[in-house]
Amino acid sequence: MSQLNRLARGGRIDRSRKLSFTFNGQRYQGHAGDTLASALLANGVDIVNRSFKYSRPRGIVAAGAEEPNAVVQLGKTEAAQVPNVRATQQALYEGLEARSTNGWPNVQRDLMSLIGKLGGQFMPPGFYYKTFMAPASMWMTYEKYIRKSAGLGRSPMEKDPDLYDHLHQHCDVLVIGAGPAGLAAALAAGRSGARVILADEQEEMGGSLLDSRERLDDKPADAWVAETLEALAAMDNVTLLPRTTANGYHDHHFVTLHERRTEHLADTAPVKDGRRQARSRMHRVRAGRVVLATGAHERPLVYGNNDVPGNLLAGAVSTYIRRYGVVPGRKLVLSTSNDHAYRAALDWVEAGREVVAIADARANPDGELVEQARALGIRILPGSAVIEAKGESRVNAARVAKIDPDGFRVAGSAETLACDTIASSGGYSPVIHLASHTGGRPTWNDDILGFVPTLVKGVSAAGGAQGVYATGRVLADGVAAGARAAEEVGFAAAEVRLPQVAERRDGAAVALYQVPHEKPTLRAPKQFVDLQNDVTAAGIELATREGFESIEHVKRYTAMGFGTDQGKLGNINGMAIAARCLGRPIPEVGTTVFRPNYTPVTFGAIVGRHCRDLFDPERYTAMHQWHVEHGAEFEDVGQWKRPWYFPRKVDGKTETMHEAVARECRAVREAVGILDASTLGKIDIQGPDAREFLGRVYTNKWAKLAPGRVRYGLMCKDDGMVFDDGTTSCLGENHFLMTTTTGGAATVLEWLELWHQTEWPELEVYFNSVTDHWATMTITGPEARKLLAEVTDMDLDRESFKFMDWREGVVAGVPARVFRISFTGELAFEINVQANYALHVWETLFAHGEKYGLTPYGTETMHVLRAEKGFIIAGQDTDGSVTPEDLGMHWCVGYDKPFSWIGQRALSRPDTKRSDRKQLVGLRPKDPKVVLEEGAQIVFDPQHAIPMPMVGHVTSSYYSPTLDSGFALAVVKGGQQKMGESVYLPMADGQVHEAEIVSPIFVDPKGERQNV
Amino acid sequence: MSNVATFDTRTEAKIPVESPLAYSYRRSGAPAPTAKSRVVLRERPFLGHLVLRGGAIVLDEAVREVLGVTLPGEPQGLVHDADGRRSIQWISPDEWLVIVPGGEEFELENRLREALGGAHFAISNVGGGQTLLELEGEAARELLMKSVVYDVHPSHFPVGKGVTTVFAKTTVILRRPSEERWELVVRRSFADYTYRWLLDAGDEYGIGVER
Amino acid sequence: MLYIHCPYCGELREEEEFHPKGQAHIARPLDPDACSDEEWGDYLFFRDNPRGIHHELWVHAVGCRKFFNVTRHTVTYEILETYRMGEQPTITAEHPEGRPSRDAADQASLREGVRA
């Protein structure tokens, strides 16, 4: 198809480069430099979508981020699908494939439009709330149907082939927007020597200057843009980021910028110099000062059928003609409240097309542009406006009438003017979205008939963003803002010469939002306020009649400004209409809050490279490779990967976890097993007050622990609840090595520092993490001593190296600290060596261990063995509501220690003294084959009516090969006094398990095996 | 001395050692640097790392005497001895990181303990628990911008500075010993994650690994 | 994302390097056993939740590992000052523009004001 609307000359496109693309399966051609929108208009494509609610045909309205209709689905292949792309922001590239997101089965023939035609009341505001609320169970069905028919774009069903990343940026001055204000601000800040980032969302920097009729220094405006960009690019301290949208303005000038790096080139990022490149990049910018040079969005007028394709913003008409060489129709009617919009008519005439008339809401329009239009012989209808568009899939006429804006009525008879395009302008709204993100409520300014941003400290607005529109003043405003920002962060402003711009004489604009119609709003043809969400003036009026007075409530009731649109085009008109209906002035009604993101951001850019293998750190011990090579299954413990169990191949079949764990447990109880315990937290504590400090943070006593000895310790918070445990060894009189749980290492270190730094700075003690320095391997089982003796000449005699002793020695040729402590109840030695030697020591143990049946075991076996002994895991058997007494660990509480240690006082509070607290007990299921579910709730009386009083829950539960039975640890109300009694565990499937309350120590209650 | 148990965790015996990146080289490989590599990564394994805790004044005297350098008393300070092989870095108002050639650390600890006498201080050997990675090349700074939240612009991060900061989803001690070179002190258990991150983020600069 | 001046590092640093630790100036009673259950309960569980100026305890967890205090406005999130452990704020709800002078009497009345 030919580009019937493409002008023979003009525009910034490269006519020598033709690009072909498809839209809804139809092939078209455009040029390099086109956006998808300009290329569609060039090809005369009127309908780009169906509307969200009423399914009305919609065309392109705007030329930038504010476009509400031309939201398309992009991508040739399934994996490359991108939803929510504005055709006005998508550069054309060879082979681009786009589709409408709405319209079922297609945009031309749409089943849903039937609903839209069945009277305006079928889907009134609040429709979803009113219609689909009951019965609630049907919502899922309704939603599926609504989604399918509404279409909101869709995510790809295949893996994204692209990569994305983040860049942490820091600068003195961040300038957002590279129109005249932004360029001037960047120039001023850059010349001062400050580190400057200039970001602009469009394909080309320059903003309004790229389609301006004005001359700067008597040259075309874009010549000054080119010069300025060249000057900025030459400055080392200035970073230019085109195709980069500032989407979120967060606290303390932290701004997220979304840079589309290859979206203008292809579906997926092309390979460059043999390397993959990031498709898009999130710049996480911390700025000293921010200049918002985000410009203004033109407001459309709200008149009947203003959504029919062929209704455009006046400024967009100029942009398409001057920047892209596309004139989007043949016969134009312009409806305006201000002078600036006359550009559209002048550009239209220069493009060689007919301007039927200009309806100007003002009684006596007389500015310079008005005079130019008169001089061209254009018919101007003062005191008038387009009150209604005619046509279905394209405008075919405009009904124009005299209006009385103050009385909100049509003041004369309407004239029908044949045309195919209606351009409208109700003035300009500063783009205040980013300022809104910072929490500043915008204020209404009567001079510019718009909201201007309220700015927090450190941010300024320049040019259109604060309602300054005349080019000369915008440039001066930009320079001042840039210079001031740089000065505020300590740079001396340098002089910037501004180009000469002839001051244009503009007549005053008049306030016009909704245009009156002969019929009252509720019966007039639909007058759209928010095109994306299908919100009409009648809908807003209805909402106010139904009692919604706050603009925030009107927004939620009507959906105005929802979703990806964020009210760019419609919000101000909507507020003005609400204000009219409520009989209150606009400033009193106020505005809603704009939220991040300003435009949709792909999830890829948010995730960056924090995905797949790099989603989260995986921490490995020094023996990790051995575990991998020996077939370990791994368990995540915090960020650590710990061997969970080591399944063997038996007769060509891999053991199940149950089989592997049973075998590993037997090996430890009957021979010898080995565990990689390197992940336990280790804290080196030195200082004359180290011992005193331990006494304060542990529940038990530390005063008499001698060098060479080890003790188990329990740690509480000051509310008396257990939060960590571990062994601490006395290395020297002033020197201790504390171990913590794997998950608690960082928390415990911070906890010690908290108390030392905030409460007891006078104690002379230092804490340092040595977790990663040492690798720890535990050999445990009856044969552990014999095995260790083969690789060391240390004295391992049970009398000289007792249980709870530690010794220094050489193991497998490596200096080691060996701790005789046990978490299994068996004889055990924990060997600690510097991690770089660990693999050698581990392998040496295996070289000697085969004859003893040395068996590697993982965390699952460790859990079974420790639970058989009633040893708790902090964080599994405790949950922040369990005291040492609840655990039955009175033996680990130093009630008579001189210092009131952390948690002691709380143990005498009435709540912690209750006899019906949940207490740790053992549970023996009546059926030994049953392994209770961890987390299962416990009741005393299974016959009790539902809801049954729940008296506790299972905290740890396993099958014990030693007992040949399931067994569990649990917390039960008053459980310590209920030994031998039965409790019941009703399960979700209707089964009820019975279990007997027993001591939590199931194996070797006297603790003899670890002392051998 | 008797109140604190010092312990030489190294041995002169010929024992195979594994640096924190040993597993990573086997798992992820190590692309050799080429003429097109804009950034090069190099591990400096098996160095001696000591954490020094105490008051600045008392430590300064001992450090001057034993190491012959002034303790960096100002935040983020990093100083090297004359031949550049020994460094000491400010970590916190009462904490410094000393990095020396591997094998020197135990003797250094003993000499510092002797020099410090009865003062309140602590020295912890952490050499097995961390390793030092070097980044060099024109793209090194941009690679760091992808990875750390701290501002690495030369105006903010001159030579002789070092900080502890966030690296991707872990932490790192980042130092700038010279114009061309950046150093990352990485915890052993996070070394593989850090290495894989650097290879991934450095791919577009043709990152090479010198071994 | 706050930008927080660490008074020990002497620099502004990214929020990701810090952990918040709740209300500042909550001192543990020197003799817990002399506290009534109610007093001890107050110390353990009760905290202020002001709209406006608030004093918080933070730790530079990925940095110097030091705890320090932050005076922060809970509506604007503006950080008005940060100060070391053991120091008192100069900006409080009573003196949002900063204390008029630093003499001893002021210091004493201020201490009461922030429940130190």
Side-chain angles (χ1 to χ4, degrees):
Chain A
M1 192 187 278
S2 64
Q3 299 181 42
L4 56 106
N5 285 333
R6 182 77 70 185
L7 295 168
R9 65 186 67 80
R12 304 177 58 76
I13 50 166
D14 180 355
R15 286 164 196 272
S16 67
R17 282 184 59 210
K18 283 197 176 129
L19 303 173
S20 59
F21 68 102
T22 68
F23 180 68
N24 288 332
Q26 177 85 39
R27 183 164 291 279
Y28 300 100
Q29 270 198 346
H31 290 287
D34 261 327
T35 62
L36 174 58
S38 67
L40 286 170
L41 287 172
N43 284 281
V45 175
D46 292 333
I47 305 174
V48 294
N49 247 328
R50 287 277 170 171
S51 80
F52 173 67
K53 202 158 100 176
Y54 304 113
S55 208
R56 291 164 66 109
R58 291 284 162 80
I60 292 163
V61 168
E66 71 276 31
E67 170 62 37
N69 292 336
V71 177
V72 301
Q73 178 89 18
L74 220 59
K76 257 195 283 286
T77 61
E78 180 57 36
Q81 289 301 306
V82 186
N84 262 323
V85 175
R86 278 152 184 66
T88 49
Q89 292 190 293
Q90 175 60 51
L92 200 64
Y93 54 80
E94 179 59 35
L96 180 148
E97 286 189 15
R99 273 167 303 285
S100 304
T101 48
N102 285 4
W104 172 49
N106 63 56
V107 286
Q108 303 295 332
R109 248 181 82 85
D110 189 301
L111 292 177
M112 285 297 287
S113 63
L114 201 61
I115 294 172
K117 283 174 183 167
L118 285 176
Q121 296 310 309
F122 186 76
M123 279 178 127
F127 172 74
Y128 299 105
Y129 306 103
K130 288 169 177 164
T131 313
F132 291 135
M133 281 314 285
S137 60
M138 284 299 286
W139 171 249
M140 294 304 285
T141 313
Y142 293 142
E143 195 194 15
K144 213 161 129 189
Y145 166 73
I146 292 169
R147 286 233 183 273
K148 183 173 182 186
S149 50
L152 291 166
R154 62 182 190 86
S155 319
M157 302 299 286
E158 289 173 12
K159 192 168 139 180
D160 190 338
D162 275 309
L163 55 93
Y164 303 84
D165 68 7
H166 294 167
L167 207 57
H168 301 276
Q169 296 265 21
H170 302 258
C171 67
D172 298 310
V173 179
L174 169 64
V175 181
I176 300 169
L183 288 172
L187 202 54
R191 289 259 163 84
S192 77
R195 285 164 68 188
V196 176
I197 293 174
L198 174 62
D200 186 272
E201 67 176 345
Q202 298 199 27
E203 291 295 313
E204 270 189 283
M205 291 188 164
S208 63
L209 296 178
L210 298 177
D211 56 46
S212 175
R213 300 176 65 83
E214 291 177 283
R215 295 178 71 82
L216 278 61
D217 278 345
D218 209 29
K219 284 181 284 192
D222 58 357
W224 182 80
V225 172
E227 273 168 33
T228 306
L229 285 174
E230 206 173 302
L232 289 169
M235 294 185 209
D236 283 343
N237 55 324
V238 176
T239 304
L240 299 176
L241 293 174
R243 297 187 192 90
T244 302
T245 306
N247 271 310
Y249 196 143
H250 306 273
D251 293 307
H252 302 180
H253 313 309
F254 183 81
V255 183
T256 49
L257 308 179
H258 178 214
E259 181 190 7
R260 298 173 300 279
R261 302 180 78 222
T262 69
E263 269 95 329
H264 60 297
L265 300 173
D267 262 13
T268 55
V271 171
K272 188 181 170 193
D273 305 330
R275 305 274 169 193
R276 296 176 70 202
Q277 44 179 341
R279 171 183 165 87
S280 59
R281 174 172 284 169
M282 179 85 84
H283 296 263
R284 297 158 52 91
V285 184
R286 180 68 71 177
R289 289 291 180 273
V290 176
V291 177
L292 298 176
T294 47
H297 286 153
E298 192 167 25
R299 277 196 300 270
L301 290 170
V302 178
Y303 48 88
N305 295 329
N306 58 340
D307 66 325
V308 174
N311 284 287
L312 281 90
L313 288 167
V317 167
S318 286
T319 302
Y320 285 117
I321 294 172
R322 300 187 66 87
R323 190 159 161 190
Y324 301 104
V326 172
V327 56
R330 314 219 140 252
K331 294 170 79 172
L332 173 77
V333 170
L334 171 67
S335 186
T336 180
S337 67
N338 60 79
D339 275 16
H340 197 64
Y342 276 71
R343 292 186 317 142
L346 300 176
D347 292 333
W348 194 274
V349 170
E350 281 170 22
R353 307 269 165 113
E354 179 191 352
V355 175
V356 179
I358 297 173
D360 194 320
R362 300 168 296 180
N364 297 299
D366 67 343
E368 255 178 56
L369 292 174
V370 180
E371 298 308 329
Q372 285 179 36
R374 281 208 180 98
L376 288 171
I378 296 174
R379 182 181 173 208
I380 296 172
L381 306 166
S384 305
V386 170
I387 62 167
E388 183 183 341
K390 288 288 189 187
E392 287 205 9
S393 57
R394 174 81 197 203
V395 168
N396 58 31
R399 292 186 65 236
V400 180
K402 286 242 182 240
I403 56 161
D404 167 10
D406 298 327
F408 193 65
R409 60 186 187 88
V410 173
S413 59
E415 179 185 359
T416 301
L417 302 174
C419 64
D420 63 2
T421 306
I422 302 172
S424 80
S425 175
Y428 303 85
S429 300
V431 177
I432 56 176
H433 293 66
L434 292 170
S436 246
H437 298 175
T438 65
R441 284 268 170 173
T443 47
W444 181 259
N445 181 327
D446 259 333
D447 294 338
I448 64 147
L449 299 171
F451 281 101
V452 290
T454 300
L455 302 167
V456 298
K457 213 186 290 177
V459 54
S460 55
Q466 61 167 349
V468 173
Y469 299 131
T471 305
R473 286 174 54 210
V474 167
L475 290 166
D477 203 31
V479 166
R484 193 170 54 243
E487 277 174 354
E488 282 175 9
V489 287
F491 293 86
E495 187 146 342
V496 175
R497 195 196 71 85
L498 284 174
Q500 294 295 311
V501 190
E503 180 94 1
R504 195 177 70 202
R505 185 178 56 79
D506 277 355
V510 69
L512 184 63
Y513 310 98
Q514 182 190 357
V515 179
H517 193 269
E518 293 109 325
K519 294 179 185 164
T521 300
L522 288 177
R523 279 189 281 130
K526 284 193 171 57
Q527 301 163 313
F528 284 92
V529 176
D530 176 340
L531 291 157
Q532 192 173 83
N533 296 296
D534 260 358
V535 178
T536 60
I540 293 168
E541 189 166 317
L542 202 63
T544 61
R545 281 200 199 174
E546 292 190 11
F548 294 92
E549 295 187 0
S550 151
I551 193 68
E552 292 285 2
H553 291 160
V554 171
K555 166 181 170 173
R556 278 154 189 78
Y557 196 57
T558 60
M560 175 177 77
F562 269 28
T564 59
D565 184 66
Q566 284 296 300
K568 292 182 187 74
L569 277 190
N571 260 26
I572 306 300
N573 282 332
M575 287 157 215
I577 293 165
R580 176 180 63 72
C581 296
L582 294 166
R584 281 157 41 192
I586 292 175
E588 212 175 280
V589 171
T591 174
T592 56
V593 176
F594 302 105
R595 294 200 167 79
N597 287 320
Y598 177 67
T599 52
V601 182
T602 173
F603 280 112
I606 294 168
V607 171
R609 60 184 74 245
H610 295 283
C611 59
R612 299 171 194 160
D613 288 351
L614 294 170
F615 173 65
D616 204 40
E618 289 180 0
R619 300 179 68 180
Y620 300 137
T621 72
M623 289 82 90
H624 188 75
Q625 170 135 357
W626 192 95
H627 304 326
V628 172
E629 285 169 355
H630 289 77
E633 293 291 331
F634 289 91
E635 180 182 30
D636 291 337
V637 184
Q639 290 171 321
W640 288 98
K641 288 279 175 198
R642 295 194 71 179
W644 190 12
Y645 58 99
F646 290 86
R648 275 190 190 162
K649 273 220 162 113
V650 181
D651 303 333
K653 271 180 68 185
T654 306
E655 287 176 323
T656 63
M657 176 161 130
H658 180 80
E659 290 162 349
V661 170
R663 174 179 51 73
E664 291 171 14
C665 284
R666 276 195 299 272
V668 173
R669 294 268 182 249
E670 292 162 15
V672 59
I674 184 165
L675 174 79
D676 181 353
S678 306
T679 62
L680 290 183
K682 300 170 215 66
I683 300 170
D684 187 42
I685 305 176
Q686 298 178 27
D689 293 320
R691 192 181 290 276
E692 169 65 21
F693 198 93
L694 290 175
R696 295 184 185 189
V697 295
Y698 273 133
T699 60
N700 51 337
K701 296 182 184 176
W702 295 85
K704 292 196 177 124
L705 187 72
R709 294 290 288 163
V710 186
R711 182 165 289 169
Y712 173 79
L714 208 51
M715 242 179 238
C716 285
K717 301 223 160 156
D718 231 346
D719 59 5
M721 304 302 157
V722 171
F723 92 100
D724 209 81
D725 68 345
T727 59
T728 289
S729 307
C730 184
L731 303 183
E733 194 50 43
N734 296 347
H735 193 182
F736 294 82
L737 181 71
M738 175 185 282
T739 66
T740 74
T741 59
T742 296
T747 320
V748 171
L749 180 60
E750 195 173 285
W751 179 250
L752 303 179
E753 289 286 356
L754 170 71
W755 287 92
H756 186 222
Q757 290 179 36
T758 66
E759 288 288 342
W760 311 317
E762 70 282 4
L763 295 186
E764 295 199 326
V765 58
Y766 288 113
F767 313 96
N768 289 303
S769 170
V770 289
T771 302
D772 285 32
H773 179 67
W774 299 100
T776 304
M777 40 207 104
T778 302
I779 52 170
T780 180
E783 305 282 13
R785 182 179 283 116
K786 279 190 224 155
L787 170 59
L788 184 54
E790 292 209 11
V791 293
T792 185
D793 54 8
M794 292 169 72
D795 180 0
L796 302 177
D797 184 80
R798 68 180 294 245
E799 292 309 317
S800 45
F801 190 176
K802 291 199 214 34
F803 182 55
M804 300 306 269
D805 276 351
W806 73 270
R807 295 288 180 267
E808 217 172 271
V810 174
V811 175
V814 176
R817 279 182 178 147
V818 180
F819 299 77
R820 222 195 118 185
I821 53 180
S822 175
F823 199 41
T824 61
E826 302 296 329
L827 173 67
F829 297 91
E830 273 195 5
I831 303 159
N832 281 253
V833 294
Q834 206 239 47
N836 294 336
Y837 296 117
L839 194 59
H840 162 77
V841 176
W842 181 271
E843 286 177 337
T844 305
L845 286 166
F846 274 95
H848 291 265
E850 201 178 337
K851 55 183 164 298
Y852 302 109
L854 180 65
T855 302
Y857 68 95
T859 50
E860 190 64 21
T861 293
M862 176 192 84
H863 275 272
V864 175
L865 298 173
R866 65 90 199 173
E868 287 176 346
K869 288 291 297 173
F871 295 148
I872 61 152
I873 299 262
Q876 174 162 343
D877 301 297
T878 69
D879 61 2
S881 71
V882 179
T883 68
E885 295 171 347
D886 297 338
L887 294 170
M889 292 172 78
H890 304 74
W891 56 268
C892 198
V893 178
Y895 291 101
D896 55 352
K897 286 200 282 182
F899 190 89
S900 186
W901 43 271
I902 298 170
Q904 182 178 25
R905 173 64 185 82
L907 294 185
S908 59
R909 296 180 71 241
D911 187 61
T912 46
K913 281 281 156 240
R914 278 189 295 118
S915 60
D916 65 341
R917 288 185 64 80
K918 288 179 184 172
Q919 296 163 337
L920 187 79
V921 294
L923 288 185
R924 204 64 195 255
K926 277 274 138 81
D927 177 354
K929 290 193 287 294
V930 166
V931 177
L932 299 171
E933 265 184 49
E934 288 179 355
Q937 293 293 323
I938 297 167
V939 302
F940 289 142
D941 176 10
Q943 306 304 326
H944 194 287
I946 292 171
M948 297 180 197
M950 292 180 283
V951 296
H953 64 273
V954 176
T955 60
S956 295
S957 179
Y958 314 94
Y959 164 76
S960 163
T962 308
L963 306 170
D964 191 21
S965 166
F967 75 106
L969 301 179
V971 287
V972 176
K973 279 189 175 178
Q976 285 161 7
Q977 301 305 315
K978 293 183 187 294
M979 290 296 148
E981 293 181 25
S982 278
V983 292
Y984 300 88
L985 298 102
M987 305 307 298
D989 63 4
Q991 283 192 78
V992 178
H993 299 305
E994 184 182 351
E996 183 191 339
I997 298 182
V998 296
S999 154
I1001 307 173
F1002 292 86
V1003 169
D1004 186 24
K1006 290 188 182 148
E1008 287 163 342
R1009 300 175 65 97
Q1010 64 202 10
N1011 271 320
V1012 295
Chain B
M1 183 86 100
S2 62
N3 285 338
V4 170
T6 57
F7 186 47
D8 190 356
T9 57
R10 279 183 196 258
T11 172
E12 295 300 316
K14 287 267 174 269
I15 301 286
V17 286
E18 292 245 303
S19 87
L21 281 190
Y23 170 63
S24 308
Y25 294 143
R26 290 190 287 260
R27 178 193 186 185
S28 308
T34 68
K36 281 187 174 170
S37 293
R38 294 171 60 208
V39 61
V40 171
L41 170 68
R42 190 184 307 113
E43 184 188 15
R44 300 268 316 280
F46 312 123
L47 298 177
H49 298 240
L50 295 178
V51 171
L52 222 56
R53 303 292 303 269
I57 294 167
V58 68
L59 288 181
D60 182 43
E61 209 170 300
V63 166
R64 275 179 210 247
E65 184 189 320
V66 176
L67 268 176
V69 296
T70 309
L71 188 82
E74 290 297 310
Q76 295 95 41
L78 167 70
V79 298
H80 284 78
D81 72 351
D83 74 358
R85 296 168 69 212
R86 292 163 198 84
S87 67
I88 178 160
Q89 179 188 353
W90 185 98
I91 298 290
S92 136
D94 59 4
E95 179 174 348
W96 285 263
L97 174 65
V98 179
I99 298 183
V100 295
E104 287 186 8
E105 67 273 23
F106 187 62
E107 196 205 334
L108 175 64
E109 177 181 347
N110 286 329
R111 286 175 61 200
L112 283 169
R113 286 189 181 279
E114 203 170 312
L116 286 158
H120 170 43
F121 68 94
I123 302 174
S124 297
N125 181 352
V126 294
Q130 51 199 39
T131 192
L132 192 141
L133 308 182
E134 290 181 349
L135 286 178
E136 253 179 275
E138 45 150 337
R141 184 161 73 87
E142 193 168 299
L143 177 54
L144 287 170
M145 287 170 73
K146 289 185 176 186
S147 313
V148 300
V149 299
Y150 195 82
D151 184 3
V152 291
H153 190 271
S155 67
H156 190 258
F157 209 130
V159 172
K161 191 169 185 175
V163 297
T164 306
T165 189
V166 174
F167 178 104
K169 283 187 186 164
T170 179
T171 69
V172 76
I173 294 172
L174 178 65
R175 307 138 51 101
R176 191 153 180 233
S178 68
E179 286 293 337
E180 312 78 34
R181 206 166 78 241
W182 296 84
E183 291 177 346
L184 284 72
V185 181
V186 177
R187 284 180 70 176
R188 174 181 249 285
S189 56
F190 288 101
D192 182 70
Y193 169 77
T194 310
Y195 180 74
R196 285 187 290 115
W197 177 280
L198 288 169
L199 287 194
D200 192 61
D203 181 67
E204 73 170 289
Y205 315 116
I207 190 167
V209 179
E210 264 180 21
R211 293 191 56 188
Chain C
M1 288 281 289
L2 307 181
Y3 207 28
I4 303 170
H5 187 268
C6 172
Y8 295 99
C9 290
E11 287 190 329
L12 284 158
R13 305 282 283 256
E14 295 294 332
E15 184 180 331
E16 285 147 285
E17 295 183 358
F18 299 88
H19 296 164
K21 306 302 286 188
Q23 185 175 342
H25 305 292
I26 304 287
R28 189 181 200 244
L30 288 175
D31 185 358
D33 296 322
C35 292
S36 68
D37 284 336
E38 195 181 343
E39 285 165 343
W40 190 252
D42 276 351
Y43 155 68
L44 283 183
F45 303 120
F46 287 83
R47 297 293 182 268
D48 296 337
N49 185 22
R51 180 186 168 86
I53 289 173
H54 191 39
H55 306 285
E56 298 169 334
L57 181 66
W58 286 70
V59 59
H60 194 180
V62 186
C64 65
R65 299 199 291 127
K66 292 295 176 208
F67 288 78
F68 62 98
N69 302 299
V70 172
T71 302
R72 189 173 67 93
H73 197 286
T74 60
V75 178
T76 64
Y77 284 24
E78 194 177 349
I79 290 178
L80 302 163
E81 61 179 338
T82 59
Y83 50 102
R84 297 175 180 215
M85 290 318 305
E87 295 179 350
Q88 294 299 319
T90 60
I91 296 167
T92 62
E94 293 77 25
H95 298 289
E97 304 298 325
R99 283 185 302 121
S101 74
R102 284 178 169 272
D103 61 43
D106 267 32
Q107 191 73 35
S109 68
L110 191 72
R111 277 205 188 95
E112 287 170 306
V114 294
R115 288 182 58 189

